[in-house]
Amino acid sequence: MNRAALIILLLCACFAACIKAPGTSLVAYKQQAAVDDKIITDYLTANPGLNAKKIDTSGVYYIVKQQGTINALFTNSTLVTVGDTGRVLSVSGDPVFTQTNEFHPSYVLGSVIRGWQLGIPQIKKGGIVRLLIPSRYAYGPNAQPQIGVSFGLKNGLPANAVLDFDIQLYDVSN
């Protein structure tokens, strides 16, 4: 009898663990995607000289400021060395939340946000690209409380933040 009760209790615990967290539904995802897309399209409408191009159906836009000169093959394991400035794209100004200045970090392309994975291959080594990234291709509904605090974002990067990056690609290695 104890065994049967234990098995039933474990099954109940397993099913209870499968309940989705609030706000993770497909409806919420699509609603946020519509909000993000409107923020970006309104920004591009207000700044028609940017000549931004959309990467397929992702909602990520890019503006090539300098194409670069050396072709590279990009994979998820490609190591990229970049300089970047990141801003939150918003109606109340675009606060900077990250800037590398003279420090040029290297990242494995597969380990950065999806917007970078789609946008960085649009240029060659030595190139500069500007990326407008909807939240679903950045950090999504997850606030990043440590990012941006040193740049004046009191509570860090908010959830569902639409991001605006200027990225210079210094080196590419496979």
Side-chain angles (χ1 to χ4, degrees):
M1 182 66 180
N2 286 340
R3 233 184 214 171
L6 181 63
I7 290 173
I8 291 172
L9 183 64
L10 287 173
L11 286 174
C12 289
C14 288
F15 287 122
C18 293
I19 296 173
K20 289 185 177 181
T24 59
S25 71
L26 183 59
V27 173
Y29 175 85
K30 287 183 178 183
Q31 287 173 339
Q32 186 60 47
V35 169
D36 291 350
D37 292 344
K38 180 164 178 25
I39 290 170
I40 293 174
T41 55
D42 287 353
Y43 181 81
L44 292 173
T45 301
N47 298 282
L50 290 179
N51 195 24
K53 296 181 179 129
K54 190 175 182 181
I55 300 173
D56 57 58
T57 60
S58 68
V60 176
Y61 285 83
Y62 70 97
I63 301 138
V64 175
K65 292 182 168 186
Q66 184 177 318
Q67 183 58 48
T69 57
I70 301 171
N71 284 330
L73 173 66
F74 292 93
T75 67
N76 277 340
S77 60
T78 299
L79 186 68
V80 293
T81 302
V82 298
D84 70 278
T85 299
R87 295 171 296 279
V88 178
L89 191 65
S90 66
V91 292
S92 60
D94 299 334
V96 171
F97 66 89
T98 183
Q99 192 167 29
T100 57
N101 295 324
E102 296 302 315
F103 173 67
H104 304 126
S106 295
Y107 304 103
V108 174
L109 194 57
S111 69
V112 296
I113 60 173
R114 186 77 176 127
W116 278 33
Q117 292 175 22
L118 295 170
I120 290 176
Q122 303 302 320
I123 57 173
K124 300 174 184 176
K125 181 178 172 181
I128 301 172
V129 66
R130 182 173 180 190
L131 301 175
L132 303 174
I133 304 174
S135 65
R136 64 189 177 274
Y137 285 95
Y139 299 104
N142 308 306
Q144 302 295 314
Q146 292 81 23
I147 298 177
V149 173
S150 61
F151 288 89
L153 290 179
K154 182 171 65 170
N155 297 319
L157 199 59
N160 295 313
V162 176
L163 305 181
D164 176 3
F165 281 97
D166 286 312
I167 301 171
Q168 182 164 2
L169 185 58
Y170 288 104
D171 195 17
V172 178
S173 57
N174 286 306

